[in-house]
């Protein structure tokens, strides 16, 4: 990881984001230097004119490469890196269509069956009632139970359908391993932060715990987790204080929220 001002490659996002962490991990593992610039959705920074010019979808992460191009969406960035830089192809093997298809299948499964539902779970069961102080404790609890049911269905399919030796496709990690690890890491953090034990996705799962521990042994992983920890106090303040003012009051229609729950929340 580099914070030197003369490095042209810049990664925009913030460390709590598992999506940005995936890209940072691939850059680090590949040895491509980059400068980190914090853009936090909890401050509304993703919707500033400067960031919208880089990423018209108003999301993170975005990578500005040394050639001046802006690339957004974590998987798109990682695939771009593999196509441009040969040293990145060990994580996304663009020269091997069959192996690439296997990597893509794992990535898509994690995205749509695990990571995506997890964030919906977090928002409805944890963030809405606690950080935004919406009066939906009962609904949040019901959604929590539904999410636990789904996670116990999809995660075993991923484990049983993978080699787990210790990584998904064997002894070395590929792109979906990065995505899975940072989703698991965030689930552990959120389970503690919001006091929802069920949100810890790899608790009491030996295969996922072995996978998690193997990822933690990698220097790039330790580097990124240390960066996340160094920013955690600021992130917590934004998470519980700044996001409502920066986002909820400006970009969320409370009438729609009321319609979702059938009453004023």
């Amino acid at each position: 990881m580099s914070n030197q001002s003369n490095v042209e490659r810049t990664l925009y996002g913030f460390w709590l984001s598992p999506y940005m962490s995936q890209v940072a991990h691939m850059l680090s593992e590949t040895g491509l230097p980059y400068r980190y610039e914090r853009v936090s959705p909890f401050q509304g920074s993703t919707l500033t004119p400067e960031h919208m010019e880089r990423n018209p979808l108003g999301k993170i992460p975005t990578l500005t490469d040394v050639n001046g191009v802006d690339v957004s969406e974590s998987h798109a960035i990682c695939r771009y890196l593999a196509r441009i830089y040969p040293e990145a192809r060990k994580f996304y093997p663009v020269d091997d269509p069959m192996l690439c298809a296997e990597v893509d299948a794992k990535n898509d499964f994690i995205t749509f069956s695990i990571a995506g539902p997890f964030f919906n779970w977090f928002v409805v069961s944890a963030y809405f009632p606690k950080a935004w102080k919406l009066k939906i404790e009962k609904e949040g609890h019901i959604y929590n139970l539904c999410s636990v049911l789904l996670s116990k269905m999809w995660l075993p399919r991923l484990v049983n359908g993978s080699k787990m030796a210790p990584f998904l496709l064997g002894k070395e990690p590929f792109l979906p391993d990065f995505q899975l690890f940072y989703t698991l890491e965030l689930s552990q953090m959120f389970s503690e932060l919001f006091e929802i034990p069920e949100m810890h996705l790899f608790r009491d799962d030996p295969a996922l715990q072995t996978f998690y521990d193997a990822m933690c042994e990698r220097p790039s992983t330790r580097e990124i987790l240390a960066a996340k920890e160094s920013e955690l106090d600021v992130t917590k303040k934004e998470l519980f204080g700044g996001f409502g003012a920066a986002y909820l009051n400006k970009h969320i229609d409370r009438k729609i929220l009321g319609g979702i729950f059938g009453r004023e929340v």
Side-chain angles (χ1 to χ4, degrees):
M1 184 187 317
S2 175
N3 288 302
Q4 299 175 4
S5 59
N6 62 344
V7 175
E8 294 178 89
R9 185 179 293 108
T10 304
L11 180 60
Y12 299 90
F14 77 145
W15 287 115
L16 185 69
S17 166
Y19 303 111
M20 196 201 80
S21 296
Q22 293 168 43
V23 176
H25 196 118
M26 189 163 179
L27 287 167
S28 181
E29 292 263 5
T30 304
L32 295 171
Y34 67 96
R35 182 176 66 89
Y36 163 63
E37 185 167 322
R38 192 171 195 271
V39 175
S40 170
F42 297 151
Q43 291 181 324
S45 304
T46 55
L47 300 176
T48 62
E50 294 81 9
H51 189 68
M52 292 290 287
E53 185 174 351
R54 290 187 293 264
N55 186 334
L57 297 177
K59 297 174 62 181
I60 54 172
T62 291
L63 179 74
T64 299
D65 204 359
V66 294
N67 53 13
V69 302
D70 294 324
V71 188
S72 298
E73 296 295 313
S74 56
H75 291 171
I77 295 170
C78 291
R79 290 164 181 161
Y80 160 84
L81 291 172
R83 292 183 177 103
I84 297 294
Y85 301 103
E87 56 266 48
R89 291 172 190 169
K90 58 184 176 181
F91 303 114
Y92 187 69
V94 294
D95 297 325
D96 187 336
M98 291 303 296
L99 184 53
C100 249
E102 193 172 359
V103 169
D104 286 337
K106 298 295 186 191
N107 259 335
D108 288 349
F109 186 87
I110 295 168
T111 297
F112 296 110
S113 298
I114 297 170
F118 171 78
F119 284 104
N120 289 335
W121 178 6
F122 154 68
V123 169
V124 176
S125 296
Y127 203 82
F128 275 178
K130 293 192 177 182
W132 282 0
K133 297 180 174 59
L134 300 184
K135 300 173 183 177
I136 57 166
E137 289 79 4
K138 181 179 178 180
E139 293 89 346
H141 178 65
I142 293 171
Y143 197 84
N144 177 58
L145 294 176
C146 291
S147 298
V148 172
L149 186 68
L150 289 173
S151 70
K152 288 184 178 295
M153 178 172 65
W154 294 120
L155 269 171
R157 287 195 190 182
L158 177 66
V159 170
N160 294 335
S162 302
K163 293 180 180 178
M164 306 304 292
F167 303 109
L168 292 170
L169 299 178
K171 294 181 179 180
E172 297 298 327
F174 286 88
L175 184 55
D177 293 289
F178 303 159
Q179 182 186 16
L180 177 62
F181 174 80
Y182 290 106
T183 301
L184 295 179
E185 169 64 23
L186 196 63
S187 81
Q188 178 177 243
M189 177 188 292
F190 281 168
S191 73
E192 297 173 0
L193 198 58
F194 292 94
E195 299 177 337
I196 302 177
E198 304 89 349
M199 201 169 273
H200 191 312
L201 291 177
F202 62 101
R203 188 190 303 276
D204 301 322
D205 188 312
L208 286 176
Q209 184 67 59
T210 299
F211 163 84
Y212 180 88
D213 292 342
M215 283 293 297
C216 283
E217 291 176 2
R218 303 181 75 83
S220 295
T221 308
R222 295 197 295 268
E223 185 181 2
I224 291 167
L225 293 180
K228 180 189 292 188
E229 182 65 27
S230 71
E231 211 175 66
L232 188 57
D233 287 342
V234 173
T235 302
K236 283 181 180 178
K237 289 179 181 177
E238 293 175 356
L239 187 66
F240 289 103
F243 199 26
Y247 198 87
L248 174 62
N249 296 335
K250 294 181 180 179
H251 303 285
I252 299 294
D253 189 328
R254 287 183 177 271
K255 291 182 179 179
I256 293 178
L257 276 177
I260 292 172
F261 297 102
R263 56 187 172 78
E264 185 177 343
V265 295

